[in-house]
Structure formats: C-alpha cells, structure tokens
C-alpha cells in the first residue's frame, strides 16, 4: 500500500468575473505513502479546500493532484474523509453506519459484517454496535466516523479538524487513539487543524500555509521521541522547540492578516 499524494502547482479559484476568489495558488507539496502530515494556517487560507480537492469533492482550477502517480478525477475509495461534524446517519445504528459504504459497494453481507466489527473493535466501540448516534457522546460519534471511513480500507485518510468540537481531555484521548491506529495500519494521513500543539503531537511533518490565498509557507519536520507517555512527550524540550517553530511561522501570517 503506497498512498503517496503529489500536489503540483495547484490553484483553486471560486466564482467568475468580479466574484472571482482565489483560495489556493501555486501550491506544490508531496505526502509520502504512510506518512502523517498536518496542515495548519490562518483562518480562510484554504486548508479545508485543499483537503476537499485531494478527496476529489472539488475540481482543481489548474495544476494537478495525483495519488501514486495517477491524477485524481473525482472521489475514490482510495481516499476516505473524516469530517468534524461526524456526518452520521441518525436512523442507522453504529454497526449500520459503519457498514454503509460497504453496502453501497455491494460487499456481501457476511464479509461486510466481519469488516465492520474489525474496525468497531479497533476504535474501542465493542458493545455499542446497536446504539444510535443520539445515544453516543461526541467522541464516540467521531470514532464511529473513523471506523466507517476505515471500513472500506482507503490508502489515504483525510481528516478535517475531526477533534475540533471536543473538549480537551476527550480530544487528547482521541489523538492518542488515532496515533495508535496509524501505527497499526500505516495509512497516509492528511490532517487539517488550527491547533499547533495537536499538529506537532500527531505528525511527522507540519505544512504551514500562508494567509489567503493559501500556498506553502514552511514545512516543519517533527522528529519527536514518542517512546514515552503523552506527558513525557508534551513536557519535553524538543516538543516545545517544534511547537515554537510552527507557532512562529503561523503567527507571522496571522499578524500580517491583522495589519491589513
């Protein structure tokens, strides 16, 4: 499984004429197969637009996005998206939500049940298969969303601020769980966040985007020693150094934005 994402001279423009707005310009970047990359930037810099372009939900204006060397031409099962707002079907149980994509793809019943249970167990929701979304906490709903996306086994996991609406303790718990899932499955992850600490804690690299229109500003390689506990990691000097590096680069863009 590769899952390499190559972005070349990407531009995205919304609207026509006087209503024309450039969201992204001249963005080139590559995410290696199996790599965890976070994207941060000022509000309105095109982070989510970039994610939806990779997902194939939006058409590029110019430039290319390729997966393993093949230009994308729309959504595909090689890419899975986890949204901030969960996007679960309220009339379907946890199990039925996780099997939904498999049903749409015509996977036989026994096979999809086995696959769904595998990923329900992976996100620690064993015993909640028959619950409906209204009976779940926010964190549990997001875990259902992750399990549903993993169930059709995409090469690439695209995550749009998936923990942004959660309180800090729950957010941290799901961050740790996501790292465990990534360690287990080795999928490519592109993770959108506005939280610098989250980006540094989770990622191998952090892409910092400029203010609108968004393009690559800097890329920070994160070489943390992750062998200890969460407390060991986030209180280390190296974590503080990486966090400060990303924060300074991002702060330069937000300060520029405020002055204009």
């Amino acid at each position: 499984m590769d899952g390499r994402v190559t972005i070349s001279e990407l531009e995205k423009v919304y609207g026509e004429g006087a209503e024309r707005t450039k969201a992204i310009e001249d963005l080139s970047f590559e995410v290696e197969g199996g790599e965890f990359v976070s994207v941060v930037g000022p509000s309105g810099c095109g982070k989510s637009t970039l994610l939806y372009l990779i997902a194939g939900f939006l058409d590029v204006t110019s430039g290319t996005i390729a997966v393993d060397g093949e230009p994308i031409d729309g959504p595909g099962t090689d890419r899975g998206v986890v949204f901030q707002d969960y996007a679960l079907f309220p009339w379907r149980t946890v199990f039925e939500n996780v099997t939904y994509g498999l049903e749409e793809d015509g996977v036989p019943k026994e096979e999809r049940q086995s696959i769904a249970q595998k990923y329900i167990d992976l996100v620690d929701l064993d015993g909640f298969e028959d619950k409906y979304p209204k009976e779940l906490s926010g964190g549990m709903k997001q875990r259902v969303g992750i399990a549903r996306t993993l169930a059709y086994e995409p090469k690439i996991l695209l995550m749009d601020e998936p923990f942004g609406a959660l309180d800090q303790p729950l957010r941290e718990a799901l961050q740790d769980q996501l790292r465990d899932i990534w360690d287990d499955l080795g999928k490519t992850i592109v993770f959108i966040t506005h939280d610098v600490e989250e980006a540094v804690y989770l990622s191998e690299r952090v892409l910092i985007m400029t203010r609108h229109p968004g393009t690559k500003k800097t890329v920070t390689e994160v070489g943390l020693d992750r062998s200890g506990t969460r407390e060991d990691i986030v209180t280390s000097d190296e974590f503080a150094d990486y966090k400060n590096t990303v924060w300074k680069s991002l702060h330069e863009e937000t300060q520029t934005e405020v002055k204009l």
Side-chain angles (χ1 to χ4, degrees):
M1 178 171 61
D2 288 315
R4 184 178 76 259
V5 181
T6 305
I7 300 163
S8 302
E9 299 177 346
L10 180 65
E11 181 174 287
K12 176 60 181 176
V13 176
Y14 293 106
E16 301 285 344
E19 301 297 319
R20 191 174 184 270
T21 301
K22 186 179 288 187
I24 294 174
E25 69 173 359
D26 194 26
L27 174 61
S28 295
F29 186 69
E30 184 161 288
V31 182
E32 296 296 334
E35 187 179 19
F36 197 132
V37 171
S38 286
V39 182
V40 299
S43 181
C45 74
K47 299 187 296 294
S48 292
T49 293
L50 173 60
L51 196 84
Y52 297 151
L53 287 166
I54 298 171
F57 297 159
L58 300 173
D59 295 327
V60 304
T61 302
S62 64
T64 60
I65 302 175
V67 172
D68 294 329
E70 294 293 326
I72 63 171
D73 59 2
T77 55
D78 56 347
R79 288 151 283 143
V81 183
V82 177
F83 301 96
Q84 181 177 351
D85 63 358
Y86 318 131
L88 301 180
F89 297 117
W91 60 89
R92 295 177 71 108
T93 65
V94 166
F95 196 87
E96 290 166 345
N97 266 284
V98 175
T99 59
Y100 175 75
L102 301 173
E103 291 173 22
E104 291 296 297
D105 286 344
V107 176
K109 183 176 180 179
E110 283 191 15
E111 184 179 352
R112 67 176 184 253
Q113 288 179 335
S114 175
I115 293 170
Q117 194 63 55
K118 170 184 173 181
Y119 289 107
I120 287 171
D121 292 346
L122 185 67
V123 299
D124 294 331
L125 284 176
D126 183 32
F128 291 88
E129 291 88 347
D130 295 330
K131 300 293 184 181
Y132 288 89
K134 66 181 180 180
E135 300 175 276
L136 306 177
S137 68
M140 294 171 77
K141 289 176 185 176
Q142 194 55 284
R143 282 187 278 160
V144 176
I146 293 170
R148 179 184 57 189
T149 302
L150 291 173
Y152 56 87
E153 301 187 337
K155 296 179 183 179
I156 300 160
L157 197 59
L158 305 170
M159 308 188 79
D160 189 15
E161 299 199 44
F163 310 142
L166 306 177
D167 62 35
Q168 192 64 22
L170 184 54
R171 185 176 186 139
E172 291 177 359
L174 288 184
Q175 288 168 359
D176 290 337
Q177 188 168 50
L178 179 60
R179 281 288 310 189
D180 289 342
I181 290 170
W182 179 69
D183 286 341
D184 286 344
L185 302 180
K187 293 187 183 297
T188 305
I189 298 181
V190 179
F191 189 96
I192 305 299
T193 181
H194 63 273
D195 187 311
V196 171
E197 183 167 317
E198 179 172 69
V200 171
Y201 183 73
L202 288 172
S203 314
E204 294 181 290
R205 286 194 295 159
V206 180
L207 167 64
I208 298 96
M209 292 181 67
T210 63
R211 64 182 180 84
H212 179 86
T215 191
K216 180 175 71 177
K217 181 180 183 180
T218 57
V219 178
T220 298
E221 303 268 353
V222 181
L224 287 171
D225 176 5
R226 302 182 188 275
S227 60
T229 65
R230 182 187 187 96
E231 183 177 359
D232 292 334
I233 295 169
V234 300
T235 58
S236 68
D237 290 341
E238 61 174 354
F239 185 85
D241 289 343
Y242 287 124
K243 182 179 172 182
N244 288 340
T245 298
V246 175
W247 181 87
K248 286 176 182 176
S249 184
L250 178 60
H251 188 63
E252 288 171 1
E253 290 303 306
T254 55
Q255 286 298 99
T256 302
E257 190 175 33
V258 168
K259 290 176 183 177
L260 294 179

